[in-house]
């Protein structure tokens, strides 16, 4: 696993895409998730692969990646936000998810996998950069069919007020 992580870190994003890097990571993650073993070594390998995946999605245009790879990757990236183990992992995951959520189709899928709730939790982070990306992430998700409908029906009033407040704060700080 360390060789794969090293290879991914040394390559240009285009090379990784051409040589099937996303499929490789996804396959390894699936194997590890199926594994009954929950040893720290396995957990560390999973974290390294998830971080490599986040770094790739931070840089790549999601339109260049097939939708099945993106959907598989969401089940790897979204849990990084909920684990809260490491600030850098949270930061890289929220950037990657913000990039992925910038497309309508992906925002619907992210919402269905719990992204709205996880994004809202990130608004309480102490790192202002994570909060800034969380605001953008949630703004992207607000165009999804499900969240748009909930906003219309007044079901997300608290979240929308907090988002607007944080957006105003960012504008005033500049």
């Amino acid at each position: 696993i360390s060789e794969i992580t090293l290879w991914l870190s040394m390559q240009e994003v285009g090379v990784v895409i051409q040589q099937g890097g996303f499929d490789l990571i996804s396959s390894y993650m699936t194997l590890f998730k199926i594994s009954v073993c929950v040893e720290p070594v396995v957990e560390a390998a999973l974290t390294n692969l998830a971080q490599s995946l986040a770094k790739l999605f931070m840089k790549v245009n999601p339109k260049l990646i097939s939708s099945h790879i993106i959907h598989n990757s969401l089940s790897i990236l979204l849990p990084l936000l909920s684990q809260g183990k490491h600030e850098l992992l949270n930061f890289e995951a929220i950037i990657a998810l913000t990039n992925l959520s910038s497309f309508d189709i992906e925002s619907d899928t992210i919402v269905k996998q719990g992204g709205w709730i996880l994004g809202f939790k990130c608004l309480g982070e102490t790192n202002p950069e994570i909060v800034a990306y969380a605001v953008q992430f949630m703004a992207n998700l607000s165009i999804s069919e499900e969240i748009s409908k909930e906003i219309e029906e007044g079901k997300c009033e608290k979240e929308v007020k907090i988002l607007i407040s944080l957006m105003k704060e960012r504008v005033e700080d500049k």
Side-chain angles (χ1 to χ4, degrees):
I1 298 302
S2 58
E3 289 88 12
I4 294 168
T5 308
L6 179 62
W7 174 77
L8 289 167
S9 67
M10 293 173 34
Q11 302 299 317
E12 292 291 323
V13 174
V15 173
V16 172
I17 293 168
Q18 289 172 350
Q19 295 186 2
F22 283 105
D23 282 327
L24 181 68
I25 292 172
S26 186
S27 298
Y28 271 104
M29 295 296 286
T30 303
L31 282 173
F32 278 117
K33 285 181 179 180
I34 292 171
S35 171
V36 181
C37 180
V38 192
E39 293 182 28
V41 174
V42 173
E43 193 168 326
L46 280 170
T47 302
N48 286 340
L49 286 170
Q51 187 172 20
S52 296
L53 190 65
K55 286 179 181 181
L56 289 171
F57 275 117
M58 287 168 53
K59 300 175 184 174
V60 71
N61 179 345
K63 288 185 177 183
L64 299 176
I65 308 300
S66 68
S67 62
H68 86 275
I69 291 174
I70 291 175
H71 292 185
N72 290 343
S73 300
L74 290 174
S75 66
I76 297 164
L77 293 171
L78 285 166
L80 289 178
L81 295 180
S82 63
Q83 292 171 353
K85 291 181 181 178
H86 194 282
E87 187 177 43
L88 180 59
L89 281 176
N90 290 356
F91 183 65
E92 291 173 341
I94 196 71
I95 293 171
L97 288 163
T98 301
N99 186 25
L100 289 173
S101 67
S102 63
F103 296 95
D104 293 348
I105 296 168
E106 303 316 331
S107 64
D108 288 328
T109 305
I110 292 168
V111 168
K112 287 177 183 154
Q113 291 190 26
W116 179 259
I117 294 163
L118 292 171
F120 188 72
K121 288 180 181 178
C122 287
L123 295 176
E125 289 283 337
T126 55
N127 183 322
E129 293 301 315
I130 292 176
V131 173
Y133 276 101
V135 167
Q136 182 61 50
F137 176 61
M138 293 191 69
N140 290 350
L141 294 182
S142 68
I143 63 170
S144 74
E145 191 175 314
E146 185 177 331
I147 299 301
S148 295
K149 185 178 177 183
E150 287 187 15
I151 290 171
E152 272 182 33
E153 295 171 357
K155 293 180 181 176
C156 295
E157 193 172 327
K158 178 179 103 177
E159 291 93 336
V160 170
K161 283 182 180 179
I162 290 171
L163 271 174
I164 290 170
S165 171
L166 288 168
M167 287 178 187
K168 283 181 181 178
E169 214 175 88
R170 295 233 354 128
V171 169
E172 289 170 1
D173 286 347
K174 291 183 178 182

